[in-house]
Amino acid sequence: MTATTAERTICLVPGDGVGQEVIPAAAEVLAALGLELRFVEASAGFAHFEQTGEAMPETTLADVAAAGLALFGATSSPSRKVAGYRSPILVMRRTFQLYANLRPTQSLPGAFSRPGLDFLIVRENTEGLYAGRERMEGEAAIAERVITPQATERIARAALEQARRRAAAGRPAALTIVHKANVLSLTDGLFRDGCRRVAAEYSEVEVNECLVDTAAMRLVRDPQDFGVLVTTNLFGDILSDEAAALIGGLGVAPSANLGERVAVFEPVHGSAPDIAGQGVANPIGAVLSAALLLEHIEQPAAAERVRQAVHAALQAGYRPADLGGRATTRDVTRAILENL
Ligand code: NAI
Ligand code: MG
């Protein structure tokens, strides 16, 4: 993605449930920055599927492709197979080859967050155990775990580029390769060795490795010791939700899905049907995802303004229910806007 000062279009895809509440809040924050941003809104999700038979319309894919940038909320997925339903975020990840899933964990002000954390999980987003190769063999259900050198090298490079940038900014930057090569010796052996091979080109980045079970424990015990973690799809999915718990939970965790031409930013949480429609969803995960978008389009100062405004709102006591407070989505959003 090239840097530009020309007007940028952002495709907003709120989706289902609380996505309809937090994406408008994040868009309002972006719009208040005085940058040349234009918004187009597009539909996706289970409600859209029930109305039209399509969860991810071609027109939405076209809008996302044209903009190259999207802010996605979440969609509801049926927990059993429903004919014709495909999860919109998975469709986008596959269609646009959004191979790098960045999930940063940075401390927030408040007793709900551990202090002193600034690490980044870089999750491979296209293969591993989520390659979509599930089948029945007689009575047994089998899932194949696919690790290729190509996908390994490009995710390793994405992680090392992040580590290099963080090192230059004086932030924790050591790379930890997280795997389970002691048991999955072929697949994770390939992953570990591929990461090591690319890392050899980045002499300024310190490189370690850690078995995934140990990493899960260390993330709870010594999370401040981590800089950048790079790992396969399923491990990254689980470890990043664990990481979110260190700073207040799913309501505050942002993420980015990066490909060569398209980037999709989304809060880590789902559609939260238990609280949807009540106006109490925490918008911070979506707002911090918008900050990641700003960094991606080379607007680091604007990204920092958004982060500072989120911190100021929290410091002023605007906490939604998931952080132990009583502030509504609207209250928190207004406080962020006032602090921009
Ligand atoms: P979830 O993230 O929607 O909810 C888990 C818990 O966190 C709930 O108690 C919820 O109230 C709370 N929570 C989530 N976001 C919050 C917010 N912004 N503010 C305050 N509290 C929040 O995960 P769950 O319950 O496992 O899944 C619900 C639906 O979301 C399912 O249909 C699932 O398939 C879908 N989902 C979609 C995702 C996506 O589209 N990227 C990601 C994860 C789940
Ligand atoms: Mg998840």
Side-chain angles (χ1 to χ4, degrees), residues 102-105 247 250 252-256 266-268 284-286 288-290 292:
L102 309 189
R103 296 192 168 193
T105 300
I247 55 161
L250 288 177
V252 299
S255 75
E266 53 158 344
V268 171
I284 291 176
L288 293 176
S289 300
L292 293 178

Side-chain angles (χ1 to χ4, degrees), residues 301-318:
E304 196 47 34
R305 266 177 79 196
V306 171
R307 279 195 199 101
Q308 290 305 326
V310 167
H311 284 223
L314 287 169
Q315 264 153 350
Y318 290 93

Side-chain angles (χ1 to χ4, degrees), residues 89-161:
I89 187 68
L90 298 185
V91 172
M92 283 195 283
R93 285 175 184 163
R94 193 152 303 170
T95 306
F96 302 123
Q97 281 292 301
L98 305 176
Y99 62 88
N101 192 336
L102 309 189
R103 296 192 168 193
T105 300
Q106 283 182 289
S107 293
L108 291 168
F112 56 83
S113 169
R114 300 251 206 123
L117 307 187
D118 182 12
F119 64 87
L120 172 69
I121 295 176
V122 180
R123 162 187 170 193
E124 203 291 319
N125 224 4
T126 62
E127 56 180 28
L129 207 48
Y130 295 173
R133 298 205 194 167
E134 269 200 306
R135 63 175 192 280
M136 298 303 296
E137 262 182 34
E139 289 185 334
I142 295 176
E144 286 177 337
R145 187 168 186 271
V146 180
I147 306 287
T148 64
Q150 293 77 15
T152 298
E153 281 183 21
R154 69 183 179 180
I155 198 64
R157 204 167 291 285
L160 283 151
E161 288 294 331

Side-chain angles (χ1 to χ4, degrees), residues 17-18 21 272-273 275-280:
V18 297
E21 299 165 52
I275 59 162
Q278 299 172 22
V280 298

